C-alpha cells in the first residue's frame, strides 16, 4: 500500500525509472517524514501522472527512488489562467494554494495601478507553494507561476481567443452572470483598492473581456479569487 507521502520531482517517471533526490528532498523524506529504504511514496511531475516509488537509497544529502507502477494518469485542469494583483505575503500564498486546489492551469501575478509596492513577490517562493499545494491536495499537475508582470503589458500580448472574466467591484449587487463561451479563459482579480477608472474603462472596451459581479457583498481579494474560480468551474469548467 502506497504511503500518504507525495513528492513533486522534475524528473521523468516510468517503470523502473531511477529518480535521484537533492538535499532538500532528502531532508524532507528522510529527516521530516522519517522514510527509510524500502518505504513507498507517491511521485508526480506534471507530465507522467502519479507513480508509486520505493526508496532505494536514503541519506542526509541525497537519495535514490525507483518507480514501480503508475497509480493515476495525468489529470490536467481546464485551460484557465488566474491573473491577480499580489496582496500581503501570506494572503498571496493563500491565493496560489487555492488556485491549485480549484484547478487553475497557470497563475499570473500582475501589477496594477493600485497594487502596493510593498506587496512584492518572489516567483520561486510562490512556485514552491504551488508544488506543496498539489502534493497535499492529490493533484498530478502543478501549474506554473509566472513572475510579476504589468497589467498593461499582459493585455497588450493577450491571445485573442482567450476570454477574460474580470471581477468588477463596482458591479456589486448585479446578477452574477458568466457568458457561456467555451474554450480558453482567464480570471482577473484586482488589488485591495480595486481597479483604477482607467483600467476599468480599458478592460470594458476589450472584446474578449467580461465584467462579472461576485454577488451582493464586497469581497477581499483572496476571497474573490476563490469565489471567482468556483463560479467559473461550476459554469464552464470540469465540475459539471
Amino acid at each position: 500500500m502506497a504511503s500518504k507521502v507525495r513528492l513533486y520531482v522534475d524528473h521523468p517517471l516510468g517503470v523502473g525509472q531511477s529518480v535521484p533526490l537533492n538535499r532538500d528532498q532528502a531532508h524532507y523524506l528522510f529527516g521530516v517524514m522519517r522514510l527509510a529504504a524500502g518505504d513507498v511514496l507517491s511521485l508526480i511531475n506534471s507530465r507522467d501522472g502519479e507513480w508509486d516509488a520505493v526508496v532505494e537509497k536514503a541519506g542526509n544529502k541525497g537519495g535514490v527512488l525507483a518507480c514501480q507502477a503508475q497509480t493515476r494518469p495525468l489529470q490536467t485542469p481546464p485551460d484557465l489562467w488566474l491573473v491577480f494583483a499580489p496582496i500581503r505575503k501570506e494572503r498571496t500564498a493563500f491565493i496560489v494554494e487555492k488556485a491549485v486546489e480549484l484547478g487553475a492551469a497557470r497563475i499570473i501575478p500582475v501589477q496594477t495601478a493600485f497594487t502596493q509596492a510593498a506587496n512584492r513577490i518572489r516567483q520561486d517562493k510562490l512556485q514552491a507553494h504551488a508544488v506543496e499545494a498539489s502534493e497535499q491536495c492529490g493533484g498530478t499537475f502543478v501549474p506554473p507561476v509566472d513572475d510579476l508582470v504589468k497589467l498593461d503589458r499582459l493585455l497588450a500580448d493577450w491571445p485573442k481567443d482567450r476570454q477574460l472574466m474580470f471581477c468588477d467591484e463596482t458591479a456589486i449587487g448585479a446578477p452574477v452572470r458568466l457568458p457561456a463561451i467555451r474554450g480558453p479563459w482567464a480570471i482577473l482579480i484586482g488589488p485591495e483598492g480595486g481597479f483604477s477608472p482607467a483600467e476599468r474603462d480599458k478592460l470594458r472596451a476589450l472584446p474578449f473581456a467580461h465584467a462579472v459581479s461576485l454577488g451582493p457583498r464586497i469581497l477581499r481579494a483572496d476571497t474573490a479569487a476563490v469565489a471567482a474560480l468556483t463560479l467559473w468551474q461550476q459554469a464552464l469548467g470540469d465540475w459539471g
Side-chain angles (χ1 to χ4, degrees):
M1 181 176 180
S3 166
K4 291 183 179 179
V5 175
R6 304 180 81 244
L7 182 70
Y8 173 86
V9 293
D10 187 14
H11 197 279
L13 303 176
V15 176
Q17 178 71 55
S18 179
V19 180
L21 299 174
N22 60 35
R23 182 191 294 265
D24 290 340
Q25 292 167 333
H27 171 73
Y28 170 69
L29 293 182
F30 312 134
V32 178
M33 303 307 298
R34 301 296 182 185
L35 297 188
D39 287 338
V40 176
L41 66 151
S42 296
L43 299 181
I44 57 173
N45 67 356
S46 287
R47 301 186 299 275
D48 302 315
E50 180 185 79
W51 286 75
D52 273 354
V54 63
V55 178
E56 286 194 334
K57 295 180 182 178
N60 294 329
K61 299 181 180 180
V64 177
L65 311 176
C67 290
Q68 295 181 319
Q70 188 185 61
T71 51
R72 291 172 57 200
L74 177 66
Q75 182 181 17
T76 56
D79 191 358
L80 174 66
W81 299 352
L82 176 65
V83 183
F84 74 99
I87 47 181
R88 292 201 307 269
K89 183 171 65 173
E90 68 279 2
R91 288 168 59 193
T92 293
F94 173 88
I95 291 174
V96 170
E97 291 164 2
K98 298 313 167 187
V100 174
E101 294 178 21
L102 291 168
R106 182 180 175 189
I107 301 170
I108 308 174
V110 292
Q111 181 180 342
T112 66
F114 295 156
T115 302
Q116 296 184 15
N119 297 328
R120 299 288 183 181
I121 70 160
R122 281 192 53 183
Q123 184 273 338
D124 58 335
K125 292 288 187 181
L126 293 184
Q127 187 67 66
H129 282 299
V131 168
E132 184 177 354
S134 186
E135 290 172 344
Q136 293 181 352
C137 75
T140 58
F141 175 84
V142 178
V145 180
D146 290 13
D147 208 348
L148 186 70
V149 62
K150 290 186 177 181
L151 179 60
D152 285 346
R153 180 177 176 185
L154 180 69
L155 293 176
D157 296 329
W158 194 262
K160 302 309 178 185
D161 64 337
R162 183 173 296 275
Q163 304 299 311
L164 176 63
M165 164 185 167
F166 81 93
C167 303
D168 186 357
E169 71 279 2
T170 65
I172 183 172
V176 181
R177 295 190 180 124
L178 186 61
I181 303 173
R182 299 288 175 175
W185 271 84
I187 293 170
L188 172 60
I189 306 292
E192 291 168 318
F195 296 107
S196 71
E199 288 171 336
R200 191 176 297 107
D201 289 345
K202 181 174 183 176
L203 286 165
R204 286 185 174 274
L206 296 173
F208 52 81
H210 310 273
V212 173
S213 163
L214 293 180
R217 287 165 290 276
I218 295 177
L219 305 179
R220 291 191 343 178
D222 46 348
T223 307
V226 173
L229 285 162
T230 302
L231 173 66
W232 188 92
Q233 285 286 22
Q234 184 63 42
L236 297 172
D238 57 8
W239 290 16

